[in-house]
Amino acid sequence: MSYDSKREAHTQLVLGMADRQGLDLQEMVLRAEISEEQFELAVDRCMGCTQPDACKCLLDSAGPALELPEYCRNGDMFGALKPK
């Protein structure tokens, strides 16, 4: 898998996991609620994960809401961005 295709796969995982937390990260970037750098750092953290296949399976099998797995490297960020 090329670097670009790996990065795209992890971008989709980040967006999918965020969506299941009620977060539209792309919209948040457009509204300057988070920076593009913060989004790219989230993708970088995801790329360092050893369990992307497990996340893909979770996203493919879960309903509209999904509890983040404990190993999610973006859990803190998602938690901080969730509406209170």
Side-chain angles (χ1 to χ4, degrees), residues 3 12 16-19 27 37 40 46 51 53 73 81 83:
Y3 175 81
Q12 293 308 310
M17 283 294 190
D19 182 60
E27 183 68 23
E37 182 179 89
E40 293 302 326
C46 184
Q51 301 194 47
D53 292 335
R73 293 175 173 219
L81 293 173

Side-chain angles (χ1 to χ4, degrees), residues 20-35:
R20 299 294 172 74
Q21 302 308 302
L23 302 167
D24 184 338
L25 294 184
Q26 291 175 313
E27 183 68 23
M28 293 175 90
V29 169
L30 290 173
R31 292 180 183 205
E33 295 171 16
I34 64 169
S35 68

Side-chain angles (χ1 to χ4, degrees), residues 16-22 54-55 57-59 61-72 74-75 78-79 82:
M17 283 294 190
D19 182 60
R20 299 294 172 74
Q21 302 308 302
C55 284
C57 287
L58 279 172
L59 288 169
S61 64
L66 170 70
E67 188 170 324
L68 287 174
E70 286 188 25
Y71 59 81
C72 182
N74 287 306
F78 294 155
K82 271 188 166 180

Side-chain angles (χ1 to χ4, degrees), residues 7-17 26 43 59:
R7 187 158 191 86
E8 178 58 27
H10 283 271
T11 297
Q12 293 308 310
L13 288 174
V14 169
L15 292 172
M17 283 294 190
Q26 291 175 313
V43 175
L59 288 169

Side-chain angles (χ1 to χ4, degrees), residues 35-49:
S35 68
E36 287 185 40
E37 182 179 89
Q38 286 173 297
F39 178 75
E40 293 302 326
L41 286 172
V43 175
D44 290 342
R45 282 190 295 271
C46 184
M47 286 182 71
C49 181

